[in-house]
Amino acid sequence: MLLIKTQRDTLLSPLQSVSGIVEKRHTLPILSNVLLEKKGDALTFLATDIEIQITTSAAAEGGEGDGAVTVGARKLQDILRSLPEGTEVSLVLEEKRLLVRGGKSRFTLQTLPADDFPRMAIGNDDAKRFSVTQKQFRQLLAQTQYAMAAQDVRYYLNGLLLLTEGKELRAVATDGHRLAFASMEIEAELPRQELILPRKTVLELNRLLADSDDALEITLSANQVRFAFGNVVLVSKLIDGKFPDYERVIPATLKNSLELGRTALLQSMVRAAILTNEKFRGVRLVLQGNSLKVMAANAEQEEAQEELEVEYAGDSLDVGFNVGYVLDVLNNVSSDTVTLNFNDANSSALITVPGNDRFKYVVMPMRI
Amino acid sequence: MKDEPCQLPDDSRAPVPPADLPAAAAAPERRIAHLDMDAFFASVELLHYPELRGRPVVVGGRAVDRPRRQADGSLHFARLRDYVGRGVITTSTYEARALGVFSGMGLMKAAQLAPDAILLPANFDAYRDYSRRFKAAVAAIAPCIEDRGIDEIYIDLSHIEEATLPLARRLKAAVLAATGLTCSIGITPNKLLSKICSDLDKPDGITVLGMEEVPARIWPLAAKKINGIGPKANERLGQLGIHSIGDLAAAPPEMLVQHFGRSTGAWLHRAAHGIDERPLSTSREPKSISRESTFSRDLHARHDRAELSEIFTGMCLRVADDLARQGYVARTIGIKLRYADFQSVTRDLTLAVPTADGAAIRKAAGECLKRVPLQQRLRLLGVRASSLLPAAAAAALPSPLVQAELPL
């Protein structure tokens, strides 16, 4: 039975939207498959790793009837991608096989029954819903997600805190050495609610969201969150845990502050980083009078020194930082200048963007 | 002893020639001695207890086995047959060796072979003292010495203008005068042959050998006489029908390379032909500092956790002490385990920051311990600090940075 006959790209782009979360190796073989469901004039694509589920759809005129099947997501994607652009492709369901035809190529793929495919139960109990633009939310993620932990035993750090309160949406991420905070205004007015998005969900959203003013509808419930944008619906489970009190970590007042050109500082750091120890990546910042020196040395005792002219009248400072943590923030904000706020070499430094109190980055020094 | 190469300033000796045979054979001949003290520990004990001379004596007991003064003023010595425990023989006199008991053998097993042998506890302070004395006596005659441990040294005699045999006698006389002990010396063009030769006429012997005598005097010896051919390699050689050094010399080099790998194969071939270009290593810098201990009973990682942990920590602290006392820091910390079935494993860890700190050593050694199987009971545990660096040099390194944590 012919499921769909259409241009390659009509199938490939929705498939790519959902297949990012498909795990290469999984104990459940069906999870490496994508569910294709033809109903009327729509072909729905659905993939899941049990924690996250992504659905999208394509227009499917010209099929012969309704039907559903699951097939290896990676294989189907590889096949479609390697067919020439503009090829007309048809998917035909035959017994237990899926026939893919395009131009003079044909592929017969094994399938697993659609009924066996796990679907996440979509809870809708006392859910709270609000809408932002894709671009705004993507920016919120971009400003914070790099500070998430990756495989920390404190599992609640391997994700990103989303917090609503009144007309504000906040995002916080930390790996225990540095913390990134960003907030934005939303139109809806919501009660205070905290939830932790798993790391994989954040990375996937960052990949899928467009830099557009199109709407992103976010629905929060107790143990899952739903993101709907364009043709895509992404439902994710949440990390069940208590995120640390980030407000306690962000210092309120600091004695010294210094405004720096972001690009100049970034470039100095990139150069100095070449001669840092691969594992510890420490750079030394020496601030005295109107000079900021960035120094690095590696295990072979090779040394780098950069000097920036600054306008500064505060305390002298000789402090070490992991250069990666500094590069992360400089690479992920877009302002012309940044402000470095600090007390001394032993306590946390706060990096902010002048004229923007919606972004804060706290980084702990390396002790010399 | 100075840490300098053993060459005169005007020495025009060519650098070490490449590995092929003709070039190596063409190198100017050196004169290297290997001096090995005769049954060293046992001999030192006999100096203290001259009444035991001529009797089988083994060293390796514990303090409780120390001889006791009796009412009539004579000494009472412990007998091997009375020993109960897990100790091994550290050394034995030639009379004891004649009964079949050798270094490394378990004392209880030795007791079956020589129940009447006298057992003495090891007295390492005394051995170290005699070791220093004999080395100083040799150094007064020939200063270029490679220290190979408590009872043996290599000596480079190339630049001493004296005939070999009188010189060897003079060395032995100096050692005897300084310590009252005899030694055996092998003198040949290199370390490999000298090591073999010092053993050929033991005790109190002198063996001088030139390259031209290798076929006649070295080739008939068993292959395992070559220092570096251990029990495993010897067994594999035996399977290939190679038993004597002569067999090894006659074996096609390609065949050795095929069975033992390129570098070992080539080395076996060269060693069998008596070729060894290694210079003396006169550096006195230690390569590693370690402590190990065989338990009085086999311990289990889980059931004897508390006891094991205490021993382990104590050992790490002692290594830290040794490092500090000798002025070193270590970059690599390793552990050695021997299981109840005598299988041994080692693991090590290289630190970002060289250390002589007991807690840091304990932490690193603990990491190593996590990487070994611990189902079986343990017989021995050791901790080793290596990649040593003088503490002063380490202090001059750029100071390491330690990432601070957010107060989450």
Side-chain angles (χ1 to χ4, degrees):
Chain A
M1 177 189 66
L2 180 68
L3 277 181
I4 187 170
K5 185 172 190 172
T6 184
Q7 296 283 302
R8 179 197 78 151
D9 292 354
T10 313
L11 293 173
L12 183 58
S13 100
L15 183 59
Q16 281 172 332
S17 295
V18 302
S19 66
I21 56 163
V22 175
E23 296 283 355
K24 285 190 192 104
R25 268 171 229 275
H26 208 290
T27 43
L28 268 181
I30 202 166
L31 289 179
S32 44
N33 284 6
V34 57
L35 171 70
L36 304 175
E37 196 171 32
K38 165 86 185 307
K39 212 178 233 175
D41 284 344
L43 179 66
T44 303
F45 296 74
L46 191 152
T48 182
D49 70 352
I50 308 280
E51 302 288 319
I52 311 172
Q53 170 180 304
I54 306 185
T55 329
T56 188
S57 60
E61 292 108 3
E64 288 172 348
D66 292 352
V69 70
T70 81
V71 65
R74 195 156 301 271
K75 274 183 212 137
L76 183 58
Q77 184 176 318
D78 288 348
I79 290 166
L80 292 175
R81 199 167 37 203
S82 53
L83 288 170
E85 211 174 324
T87 307
E88 192 171 60
V89 177
S90 57
L91 304 182
V92 180
L93 197 51
E94 295 183 329
E95 285 285 298
K96 289 181 174 167
R97 306 238 152 195
L98 182 73
L99 178 64
V100 182
R101 263 202 307 249
K104 300 223 179 269
S105 311
R106 44 180 290 142
F107 305 84
T108 319
L109 301 177
Q110 63 171 352
T111 65
L112 288 167
D115 290 344
D116 295 352
F117 201 75
R119 295 171 184 242
M120 283 171 66
I122 309 290
N124 218 0
D125 47 327
D126 72 323
K128 294 168 194 72
R129 187 170 305 171
F130 62 96
S131 199
V132 291
T133 69
Q134 291 192 41
K135 186 168 147 188
Q136 280 176 309
F137 191 74
R138 191 164 190 251
Q139 206 169 4
L140 191 76
L141 294 184
Q143 288 177 327
T144 49
Q145 57 142 357
Y146 54 86
M148 290 187 291
Q151 284 181 316
D152 204 295
V153 285
R154 296 164 290 182
Y155 59 93
Y156 47 83
L157 298 185
N158 304 324
L160 182 132
L161 174 74
L162 269 191
L163 187 152
T164 58
E165 188 168 25
K167 290 191 144 193
E168 201 176 12
L169 174 66
R170 297 174 205 149
V172 186
T174 180
D175 61 5
H177 295 152
R178 37 60 183 281
L179 177 145
F181 167 96
S183 73
M184 61 181 282
E185 203 176 342
I186 51 175
E187 279 177 20
E189 176 132 12
L190 296 170
R192 185 181 169 98
Q193 184 173 357
E194 289 187 18
L195 49 86
I196 308 171
L197 294 181
R199 180 183 169 83
K200 188 175 173 185
T201 304
V202 175
L203 299 179
E204 198 57 30
L205 279 171
N206 195 43
R207 191 176 78 87
L208 294 174
L209 288 171
D211 255 329
S212 76
D213 290 327
D214 294 341
L216 162 66
E217 189 187 77
I218 303 175
T219 311
L220 310 176
S221 57
N223 54 12
Q224 62 179 219
V225 57
R226 178 177 184 272
F227 298 91
F229 49 100
N231 266 336
V232 178
V233 175
L234 184 154
V235 181
S236 169
K237 288 189 184 165
L238 300 171
I239 292 181
D240 186 14
K242 175 88 184 86
F243 201 83
D245 181 3
Y246 66 91
E247 285 174 6
R248 219 163 45 85
V249 172
I250 300 174
T253 52
L254 290 166
K255 270 198 327 199
N256 304 290
S257 84
L258 162 70
E259 196 169 320
L260 289 155
R262 184 181 65 92
T263 315
L265 182 61
L266 176 63
Q267 287 168 351
S268 292
M269 289 282 178
V270 167
R271 288 188 293 260
I274 297 166
L275 294 189
T276 56
N277 181 317
E278 272 170 44
K279 201 164 161 198
F280 299 99
R281 308 204 75 204
V283 289
R284 195 171 145 202
L285 267 58
V286 179
L287 177 61
Q288 196 164 32
N290 290 328
S291 147
L292 174 65
K293 286 194 184 117
V294 179
M295 298 188 277
N298 61 15
E300 288 78 43
Q301 306 206 36
E302 297 167 317
E303 291 173 13
Q305 180 171 324
E306 293 278 333
E307 187 165 5
L308 293 161
E309 267 182 47
V310 295
E311 274 177 43
Y312 179 68
D315 298 341
S316 296
L317 179 72
D318 184 347
V319 66
F321 284 114
N322 180 324
V323 72
Y325 297 162
V326 183
L327 289 175
D328 275 347
V329 63
L330 295 175
N331 275 319
N332 284 290
V333 297
S334 50
S335 58
D336 289 342
T337 59
V338 294
T339 308
L340 175 67
N341 309 272
F342 62 93
N343 275 338
D344 54 50
N346 293 317
S347 48
S348 59
L350 173 67
I351 296 175
T352 52
V353 174
N356 171 5
D357 61 359
R358 291 193 172 277
F359 174 77
K360 293 183 173 77
Y361 185 74
V362 184
V363 57
M364 286 304 284
M366 296 181 92
R367 299 217 170 86
I368 296 176
Chain B
M1 273 176 277
K2 275 183 291 180
D3 189 8
E4 282 170 3
C6 301
Q7 291 172 19
L8 296 175
D10 59 346
D11 191 301
S12 56
R13 213 177 70 199
V16 177
D20 51 306
L21 292 178
E29 200 153 278
R30 295 181 294 163
R31 189 165 58 157
I32 306 295
H34 180 253
L35 185 154
D36 193 15
M37 298 300 289
D38 296 327
F40 183 55
F41 296 173
S43 301
V44 172
E45 295 299 337
L46 291 182
L47 287 177
H48 289 179
Y49 307 112
E51 61 267 46
L52 297 180
R53 214 166 274 282
R55 297 170 64 180
V57 176
V58 305
V59 175
R62 302 151 299 188
V64 294
D65 301 316
R66 188 169 299 138
R68 286 188 310 275
R69 185 74 58 189
Q70 288 168 311
D72 63 357
S74 68
L75 283 170
H76 170 79
F77 293 99
R79 299 288 173 149
L80 206 44
R81 76 157 73 85
D82 299 324
Y83 180 87
V84 179
R86 295 153 46 85
V88 294
I89 294 180
T90 307
T91 191
S92 49
T93 60
Y94 290 96
E95 290 78 6
R97 292 180 198 187
L99 299 170
V101 301
F102 295 96
S103 311
M105 183 182 280
L107 282 165
M108 303 253 299
K109 184 176 177 203
Q112 295 173 347
L113 298 169
D116 291 323
I118 304 290
L119 177 63
L120 291 172
N123 179 359
F124 284 101
D125 288 337
Y127 309 151
R128 268 192 286 272
D129 179 42
Y130 280 91
S131 177
R132 271 192 294 273
R133 287 199 225 171
F134 96 76
K135 286 169 191 169
V138 170
I141 297 170
C144 185
I145 292 177
E146 175 176 336
D147 197 338
R148 292 303 300 168
I150 201 157
D151 63 349
E152 55 176 314
I153 51 176
Y154 288 107
I155 319 161
D156 192 333
L157 304 172
S158 308
H159 304 292
I160 294 176
E161 304 219 354
E162 187 174 346
T164 301
L165 217 47
L167 179 56
R169 289 198 191 105
R170 198 150 70 87
L171 288 167
K172 281 171 61 70
V175 169
L176 184 67
T179 62
L181 300 172
T182 62
C183 61
S184 298
I185 301 183
I187 303 180
T188 78
N190 61 51
K191 298 203 297 190
L192 179 103
L193 289 173
S194 295
K195 172 90 178 169
I196 295 174
C197 285
S198 68
D199 199 40
L200 290 184
D201 186 22
K202 241 179 183 318
D204 203 14
I206 296 176
T207 304
V208 180
L209 183 110
M211 290 307 285
E212 68 286 354
E213 296 173 87
V214 167
R217 296 179 61 190
I218 299 298
W219 285 359
L221 301 173
K224 66 181 176 198
K225 289 281 179 187
I226 292 175
N227 189 26
I229 298 184
K232 278 188 190 159
N234 191 50
E235 195 188 318
R236 288 179 64 190
L237 285 171
Q239 288 163 358
L240 298 171
I242 295 172
H243 303 286
S244 68
I245 300 177
D247 294 342
L248 188 59
E254 316 80 69
M255 187 264 274
L256 295 174
V257 166
Q258 185 199 329
H259 284 92
F260 291 90
R262 195 149 52 137
S263 90
T264 305
W267 172 77
L268 284 171
H269 180 69
R270 290 161 51 77
H273 284 89
I275 294 162
D276 174 24
E277 295 300 325
R278 289 173 302 162
L280 261 62
S281 153
T282 55
S283 160
R284 289 162 60 100
E285 304 280 316
K287 289 197 165 59
S288 69
I289 288 176
S290 61
R291 290 273 182 162
E292 61 179 53
S293 157
T294 302
F295 308 134
S296 54
R297 63 182 180 90
D298 293 346
L299 297 177
H300 192 277
R302 203 170 57 249
H303 308 315
D304 305 305
R305 190 190 173 93
E307 188 177 351
L308 207 50
S309 165
E310 195 183 316
I311 294 170
F312 191 46
T313 304
M315 213 175 268
C316 292
L317 295 178
R318 280 199 295 279
V319 168
D321 254 15
D322 294 345
L323 282 168
R325 204 171 44 248
Q326 299 180 41
Y328 288 100
V329 289
R331 187 158 237 151
T332 303
I333 302 298
I335 58 162
K336 170 170 147 189
L337 300 183
R338 183 165 299 141
Y339 296 109
D341 67 359
F342 276 85
Q343 295 273 0
S344 297
V345 294
T346 61
R347 291 288 183 277
D348 59 38
L349 182 73
T350 296
L351 306 169
V353 185
T355 190
D357 176 63
I361 292 171
R362 174 65 180 77
K363 184 159 178 270
E367 291 294 319
C368 295
L369 203 55
K370 287 185 191 156
R371 289 156 42 207
V372 293
L374 289 171
Q375 285 77 32
Q376 240 200 89
R377 287 180 174 273
L378 301 175
R379 173 181 175 84
L380 171 149
L381 183 61
V383 176
R384 166 186 298 261
S386 55
S387 310
L388 302 183
L389 212 65
L397 289 176
S399 60
L401 300 169
V402 181
Q403 176 67 51
E405 301 278 331
L406 281 168
L408 292 179

Coordinates of all heavy atoms in Angstrom, one line a residue, chain A residues 174 176-178 248-249 280 282 301 322 325 362 364-368, chain B residues 331 350 352-353 396-408:
Chain A
T174 N 24.3 25.3 36.1 CA 25.6 25.4 36.8 C 26.2 24.0 36.8 O 25.5 23.0 36.8 CB 25.4 25.9 38.3 OG1 26.7 25.9 38.9 CG2 24.5 25.0 39.1
G176 N 28.7 23.6 39.1 CA 29.4 23.6 40.4 C 30.6 24.4 40.5 O 31.1 24.8 41.5
H177 N 31.1 24.8 39.3 CA 32.2 25.7 39.2 C 31.8 27.1 38.8 O 32.5 28.1 39.1 CB 33.3 25.2 38.3 CG 33.9 23.9 38.8 ND1 34.4 23.0 37.9 CD2 34.1 23.4 40.0 CE1 34.9 21.9 38.6 NE2 34.7 22.2 39.9
R178 N 30.8 27.2 37.9 CA 30.3 28.4 37.4 C 28.8 28.3 37.2 O 28.3 27.2 37.2 CB 31.0 28.9 36.1 CG 31.4 27.8 35.1 CD 30.3 27.0 34.5 NE 30.7 26.0 33.6 CZ 31.0 26.2 32.3 NH1 31.0 27.4 31.8 NH2 31.2 25.2 31.5
R248 N 21.5 32.4 46.2 CA 22.6 32.5 47.3 C 24.0 32.6 46.6 O 24.9 33.1 47.3 CB 22.5 31.2 48.1 CG 22.7 31.4 49.6 CD 22.1 30.2 50.4 NE 22.5 29.0 49.8 CZ 23.7 28.4 50.0 NH1 24.6 28.9 50.8 NH2 24.0 27.2 49.4
V249 N 24.1 32.0 45.4 CA 25.4 31.9 44.8 C 25.8 33.2 44.1 O 26.9 33.6 43.9 CB 25.4 30.7 43.8 CG1 26.6 30.7 43.0 CG2 25.2 29.4 44.6
F280 N 43.9 21.3 33.2 CA 43.4 22.3 34.2 C 43.1 23.6 33.6 O 42.3 24.4 34.1 CB 44.3 22.4 35.3 CG 44.5 21.1 36.1 CD1 45.6 20.3 35.8 CD2 43.5 20.7 36.9 CE1 45.7 19.1 36.4 CE2 43.6 19.4 37.6 CZ 44.7 18.6 37.3
G282 N 44.3 26.6 33.4 CA 44.3 27.8 34.3 C 45.0 28.9 33.6 O 46.0 28.8 33.0
Q301 N 56.5 24.3 30.7 CA 57.0 25.6 31.1 C 57.1 26.6 30.0 O 57.9 27.5 30.0 CB 58.4 25.5 31.8 CG 58.4 24.5 32.9 CD 59.4 24.7 34.0 OE1 59.7 25.9 34.3 NE2 60.0 23.7 34.5
N322 N 39.8 29.1 35.2 CA 39.7 28.1 34.1 C 39.4 28.9 32.9 O 38.3 29.5 32.8 CB 38.7 27.0 34.4 CG 38.6 26.0 33.3 OD1 38.8 26.3 32.1 ND2 38.4 24.7 33.7
Y325 N 36.0 28.4 31.2 CA 34.8 29.0 31.8 C 34.6 30.5 31.4 O 33.5 31.0 31.2 CB 34.9 29.0 33.3 CG 34.8 27.5 33.9 CD1 35.3 27.3 35.2 CD2 34.4 26.5 33.1 CE1 35.3 26.0 35.7 CE2 34.4 25.2 33.6 CZ 34.8 24.9 34.9 OH 34.8 23.7 35.4
V362 N 28.4 33.7 37.2 CA 29.3 33.7 38.4 C 30.3 32.6 38.2 O 29.9 31.5 37.7 CB 28.4 33.3 39.7 CG1 29.3 33.3 40.9 CG2 27.3 34.3 39.8
M364 N 33.8 30.7 39.8 CA 34.8 30.5 41.0 C 36.2 30.6 40.4 O 36.5 30.0 39.3 CB 34.6 29.2 41.7 CG 33.3 29.2 42.6 SD 33.2 30.5 43.8 CE 34.4 29.9 45.0
P365 N 37.1 31.2 41.2 CA 38.5 31.2 40.7 C 39.2 29.9 40.9 O 38.6 29.0 41.5 CB 39.1 32.3 41.6 CG 38.3 32.2 42.9 CD 36.9 31.9 42.5
M366 N 40.4 29.8 40.3 CA 41.3 28.7 40.6 C 42.2 29.2 41.6 O 42.8 30.3 41.4 CB 42.0 28.2 39.4 CG 41.1 27.6 38.4 SD 41.9 27.0 36.9 CE 42.2 25.3 37.3
R367 N 42.5 28.5 42.7 CA 43.4 29.0 43.7 C 44.8 28.8 43.3 O 45.2 27.7 42.9 CB 43.1 28.3 45.1 CG 41.7 28.5 45.5 CD 41.6 28.7 47.0 NE 40.2 29.2 47.3 CZ 39.2 28.4 47.5 NH1 39.3 27.1 47.4 NH2 38.0 28.8 47.8
I368 N 45.6 29.8 43.4 CA 47.0 29.7 43.0 C 47.8 29.1 44.1 O 47.7 29.5 45.3 CB 47.5 31.1 42.6 CG1 46.8 31.7 41.4 CG2 49.0 31.1 42.3 CD1 47.1 33.0 41.0
Chain B
R331 N 55.9 12.2 41.0 CA 54.8 12.5 40.1 C 53.9 11.3 39.9 O 52.8 11.4 39.5 CB 55.5 12.9 38.8 CG 54.5 13.5 37.8 CD 55.1 14.4 36.8 NE 54.4 15.6 36.8 CZ 55.0 16.8 36.5 NH1 56.2 16.8 36.2 NH2 54.3 17.9 36.5
T350 N 49.6 8.9 37.4 CA 50.5 10.1 37.3 C 49.7 11.3 37.8 O 48.6 11.5 37.3 CB 51.0 10.2 35.9 OG1 51.8 9.1 35.7 CG2 51.9 11.5 35.8
A352 N 48.9 15.3 38.6 CA 49.2 16.6 37.9 C 50.2 17.4 38.7 O 51.0 18.1 38.1 CB 47.9 17.4 37.9
V353 N 50.3 17.2 40.0 CA 51.2 18.0 40.8 C 52.1 17.0 41.6 O 51.5 16.2 42.3 CB 50.4 18.8 41.8 CG1 51.3 19.7 42.6 CG2 49.3 19.6 41.1
A396 N 60.1 25.1 41.9 CA 60.4 26.1 40.9 C 59.4 26.0 39.7 O 59.2 26.9 38.9 CB 61.8 26.0 40.4
L397 N 58.6 24.9 39.7 CA 57.6 24.8 38.6 C 56.5 25.7 38.8 O 56.2 26.2 40.0 CB 57.0 23.3 38.6 CG 58.0 22.2 38.2 CD1 57.3 20.9 38.4 CD2 58.4 22.4 36.8
P398 N 55.8 26.1 37.7 CA 54.7 27.0 37.9 C 53.7 26.4 38.9 O 53.4 25.2 38.8 CB 54.1 27.2 36.5 CG 54.7 26.1 35.7 CD 56.0 25.7 36.4
S399 N 53.2 27.2 39.8 CA 52.3 26.6 40.8 C 51.0 26.1 40.2 O 50.4 26.8 39.4 CB 52.0 27.6 41.9 OG 51.4 28.7 41.3
P400 N 50.5 25.0 40.6 CA 49.3 24.4 40.1 C 48.1 25.2 40.6 O 48.1 25.8 41.7 CB 49.3 23.0 40.6 CG 50.1 23.1 41.9 CD 51.1 24.2 41.7
L401 N 47.1 25.2 39.7 CA 45.9 25.9 40.1 C 44.8 24.9 40.5 O 44.7 23.9 39.8 CB 45.4 26.8 38.9 CG 46.4 27.8 38.5 CD1 45.9 28.4 37.1 CD2 46.5 28.9 39.5
V402 N 44.1 25.2 41.5 CA 43.0 24.3 41.9 C 41.7 25.0 41.8 O 41.5 26.1 42.4 CB 43.2 23.9 43.4 CG1 42.2 22.9 43.8 CG2 44.6 23.2 43.5
Q403 N 40.8 24.4 41.1 CA 39.5 25.0 40.8 C 38.7 25.0 42.1 O 38.5 24.0 42.8 CB 38.7 24.2 39.8 CG 37.3 24.7 39.5 CD 37.3 26.1 38.9 OE1 37.9 26.4 37.9 NE2 36.5 27.0 39.5
A404 N 38.2 26.2 42.5 CA 37.3 26.3 43.7 C 35.9 26.0 43.3 O 35.5 26.1 42.1 CB 37.4 27.7 44.2
E405 N 35.1 25.6 44.3 CA 33.7 25.2 44.0 C 32.8 26.3 44.4 O 33.0 27.0 45.4 CB 33.3 24.0 44.9 CG 34.2 22.7 44.7 CD 33.7 21.9 43.5 OE1 32.5 22.0 43.2 OE2 34.6 21.3 42.9
L406 N 31.7 26.4 43.7 CA 30.6 27.3 44.1 C 30.0 26.9 45.4 O 29.8 25.7 45.6 CB 29.5 27.4 43.0 CG 29.8 28.2 41.7 CD1 28.7 27.8 40.7 CD2 29.8 29.7 42.0
P407 N 29.5 27.8 46.2 CA 28.9 27.4 47.5 C 27.4 27.0 47.2 O 26.5 27.7 47.6 CB 29.0 28.6 48.3 CG 29.0 29.8 47.4 CD 29.7 29.2 46.1
L408 N 27.2 25.9 46.5 CA 25.9 25.5 46.1 C 25.1 24.9 47.3 O 25.7 24.2 48.1 CB 25.9 24.4 45.0 CG 26.4 24.9 43.7 CD1 26.4 23.8 42.7 CD2 25.5 26.1 43.1

